[in-house]
Amino acid sequence: ALLGVARLRRRGGAGVEPLGLGFVLALVAGSSGLFVLPFVVPGVHAAVTAASSGFAQTMSDALGVPGNPLVWSAIAPLGLIVLLYGVARLRPALAGFAYGVAGTLLFAAIAGTVDVSFVPDVLDRAWLATHAGIAALFGTAVIHRR
């Protein structure tokens, strides 16, 4: 995400939304969550576990369906963008979330850590990589000023 944003700014930063804390927080929430939280907070509570995982893992755990294809896809960033794109102040956060989810999906595709339900095993990595690219495109589209 950071490389993509830096590249966009170098090519013509005037057409890019200004980024801030919302972008960073959404990027962390979409990708890895506060993964150091269990090491800082003694004891494991449900809230600590949820906050210490990224969006896809937290939602999979909450729904009780590991590898849910709706969660391990670009649908969540798309849904948030469709609902909240009209709020200009939220666009950097929407882009950060989309980039964060893209990072999670790409990592899962490369590492082979997720078995996507209802998708043949030989297509799991292709599913994840394709949706990572789509989520990154959503993030790029949102961050451009119109």
Side-chain angles (χ1 to χ4, degrees):
L2 295 176
L3 291 173
V5 170
R7 184 171 172 238
L8 283 172
R9 287 186 174 254
R10 260 187 269 131
R11 286 192 336 181
V16 177
E17 292 281 342
L19 305 178
L21 184 60
F23 176 83
V24 174
L25 293 176
L27 180 68
V28 169
S31 60
S32 61
L34 300 171
F35 61 91
V36 296
L37 201 57
F39 301 109
V40 177
V41 177
V44 177
H45 306 300
V48 172
T49 303
S52 65
S53 300
F55 169 78
Q57 187 62 48
T58 300
M59 287 304 295
S60 285
D61 293 345
L63 294 174
V65 181
N68 186 325
L70 297 177
V71 172
W72 290 94
S73 69
I75 290 176
L78 174 63
L80 286 176
I81 290 167
V82 166
L83 290 174
L84 301 173
Y85 184 79
V87 183
R89 298 185 81 187
L90 292 179
R91 288 182 191 156
L94 292 171
F97 182 73
Y99 282 131
V101 169
T104 296
L105 296 174
L106 185 60
F107 173 80
I110 292 170
T113 57
V114 176
D115 178 23
V116 182
S117 302
F118 310 113
V119 174
D121 289 341
V122 297
L123 297 177
D124 282 346
R125 290 181 185 217
W127 172 275
L128 294 166
T130 300
H131 281 272
I134 292 168
L137 286 174
F138 290 157
T140 302
V142 167
I143 214 163
H144 279 289
R145 284 188 187 155
R146 299 283 185 253

